[in-house]
Amino acid sequence: MLSIRFDMPLWLMGLYGGIMAVCVLLLRVLLGRHLPKRVFPVLWAVVLLRLFVPFSISSPLSLHIPMLGEGDGRLSTLWSVEQEAVVQSTVTTTYLTDMDPLLLNSASVESGAIDQEITEYRSLFPVSVNAGQLVLAALWATGAMGSAAWLLWRWKRCQGVLQDAAPISNRTAEAVLQKCGVSAAVFTCDRIVSPMAAGALRPEIFLPTRMDFHNRELLEHIVAHEAMHIKYRDNWMKLLMLAALCLHWYNPLIWLMARELSRDLESACDEATLSFLEGDSRKSYACSLMAMAVPGQRGSLLYSSFSKSEVERRVKGVLAYRKAGKFLVSLTVVLALGITTVFATGGTTFYDGWLCSGIEAEGCYMLVDVGLNRDVSLGEFAQGRANAAVYRVLAESAGKNKGRSQVDAEVAEALSQEFGVEPGAFRVNSYLVIPHEVVLEQYARLGITMKDSRYYYEGTLVHAIYDREKDSPTYTTASSWKDGGVDLYILRDETGAIIEDEFKAFLWYRF
């Protein structure tokens, strides 16, 4: 099962996004020649999702990355001096003597003392922000605003160049756009040196005036390529990429991702264009790319690049193009789902399988221990919050004749609600803990009495009482005296009530 928690800090989102970016790059190096080019923009989209959405999806397949300051969940990350003081003021431990073997060692919570802790637990430990955190926040905000200002300046310059563009009406271009299923206006501009598609809400195609508009094949290839950018919403992808750069400006892996994402978008559009063109058009399309190459021009994050080095790389990919078969398409889907599951799901904290134990409430004859079935992120003050959630369930169950399995399920559900994790992540173990006076009352109905610390059954000294929950292999044995004349076998249901129909008494023969 998956569960969602909106608790992931920005730096951790960037860390996971950077690791995912490296994995995508490694996948491209290893399988880039064999996979469809469009798979990489899809994987980059998953990386962008990780960079933007502040949630962690907890799943058994989540990648675990130890967080700073993690340690033993029992002491370092879950407890503070203040928490320990509060719990010590509300929880007392009682150790029972051998004379009361039916009572397990337990922790009893004083009634009423924990009520405010349950309802206002988090407010007891407000998160304080120190000067260092404020400085880091100010540095991040400065960098984010600076990056946004720089990118906005670059976009304004580009817009200034395009404002002199003039619309054109060309039948070849219109036919290509119609065939691609794309609606976009086509412009020509003498201030640009390479074709580009711009605009997210109202996409437009800009062609340089130096382009040979009489070369129908060249025009068809270039317009089809830019139409593919529009068809696959590449401009939207680039907008998200630029926003990610502003948020995670300090992370060099995100800048690397942005550059490689721009390259992969171009390669994916080249592949889509070749699929669109009729026949084997690899050589002619490669020639069209070379015709539009601009020596000395650098690639841009804002628009498609026709720099000479980039075009040379793309031409090699075009000449090596092979239409993907069903097997490669299926493999692509599996890889995309696998990387999304492993890397897009949130990391989890240190795992030791233990959360809280010995929780008991007055009037409920059960003691509860809670562990973790898997590595899962629970956030701050997890142990205290778990104690309060478990106590709440036990307190509400007092006097309601609930069985252990029902209480276990309610505890798991309460923990699930508290921490935003599926109930199956918690391992709940409950034990019957029946007060001695209640045990004597139950025994009295069976004819068992106690005098001078010895048990008697119908006047006969008891040798041993074997008392257990039905379907449980473990007995709680209470011995009265070695010269007793009777053994008693008692079965209980999940609520702790004695099943009187299954009570048995056997004579004890001494040899």
Side-chain angles (χ1 to χ4, degrees), residues 153-165 189 191:
W153 174 74
R154 294 282 304 273
W155 177 78
K156 283 290 187 180
R157 286 190 59 187
C158 182
Q159 290 298 107
V161 169
L162 297 178
Q163 69 180 358
D164 295 333
C189 182
R191 298 179 62 184

Side-chain angles (χ1 to χ4, degrees), residues 229-246:
H229 278 302
I230 297 173
K231 182 176 182 178
Y232 288 102
R233 304 293 191 274
D234 290 347
N235 286 338
W236 286 99
M237 179 84 77
K238 285 206 169 186
L239 282 177
L240 292 176
M241 177 192 72
L242 296 176
L245 289 177
C246 294

Side-chain angles (χ1 to χ4, degrees), residues 182 235 242 440 508:
V182 171
N235 286 338
L242 296 176
L440 293 180
W508 169 248

Side-chain angles (χ1 to χ4, degrees), residues 27 31-37 39-40 271 324 328 331-332 335:
L27 181 65
L31 300 175
R33 295 183 178 181
H34 307 287
L35 293 178
K37 302 301 181 184
V39 70
F40 295 104
E271 185 177 79
L328 286 179
L331 179 61
T332 299
L335 287 172

Side-chain angles (χ1 to χ4, degrees), residues 125-192:
F125 310 105
V127 178
S128 59
V129 180
N130 56 38
Q133 291 175 319
L134 290 175
V135 171
L136 290 176
L139 288 175
W140 171 83
T142 301
M145 290 187 293
S147 300
W150 177 71
L151 292 172
L152 183 60
W153 174 74
R154 294 282 304 273
W155 177 78
K156 283 290 187 180
R157 286 190 59 187
C158 182
Q159 290 298 107
V161 169
L162 297 178
Q163 69 180 358
D164 295 333
I168 62 172
S169 178
N170 186 285
R171 292 183 179 180
T172 300
E174 292 173 358
V176 171
L177 291 174
Q178 184 178 4
K179 190 174 180 180
C180 293
V182 171
S183 177
V186 181
F187 296 83
T188 181
C189 182
D190 59 359
R191 298 179 62 184
I192 61 175

Side-chain angles (χ1 to χ4, degrees), residues 137-283:
L139 288 175
W140 171 83
T142 301
M145 290 187 293
S147 300
W150 177 71
L151 292 172
L152 183 60
W153 174 74
R154 294 282 304 273
W155 177 78
K156 283 290 187 180
R157 286 190 59 187
C158 182
Q159 290 298 107
V161 169
L162 297 178
Q163 69 180 358
D164 295 333
I168 62 172
S169 178
N170 186 285
R171 292 183 179 180
T172 300
E174 292 173 358
V176 171
L177 291 174
Q178 184 178 4
K179 190 174 180 180
C180 293
V182 171
S183 177
V186 181
F187 296 83
T188 181
C189 182
D190 59 359
R191 298 179 62 184
I192 61 175
V193 293
S194 63
M196 59 184 295
L201 298 177
R202 293 188 305 171
E204 299 169 331
I205 296 175
F206 296 88
L207 304 176
T209 54
R210 74 178 183 91
M211 182 175 171
D212 185 3
F213 288 90
H214 298 290
N215 187 336
R216 181 174 180 175
E217 186 177 60
L218 172 64
L219 182 60
E220 182 179 302
H221 290 170
I222 299 304
V223 172
H225 177 89
E226 301 303 330
M228 293 302 167
H229 278 302
I230 297 173
K231 182 176 182 178
Y232 288 102
R233 304 293 191 274
D234 290 347
N235 286 338
W236 286 99
M237 179 84 77
K238 285 206 169 186
L239 282 177
L240 292 176
M241 177 192 72
L242 296 176
L245 289 177
C246 294
L247 284 177
H248 304 277
W249 59 269
Y250 55 87
N251 192 336
L253 291 176
I254 306 306
W255 289 91
L256 175 63
M257 178 208 73
R259 187 188 72 175
E260 298 306 317
L261 169 58
S262 296
R263 291 180 174 180
D264 286 337
L265 289 176
E266 295 302 325
S267 298
C269 278
D270 288 335
E271 185 177 79
T273 303
L274 288 174
S275 297
F276 164 78
L277 298 175
E278 298 177 354
D280 188 0
S281 305
R282 289 179 298 167
K283 292 183 179 180

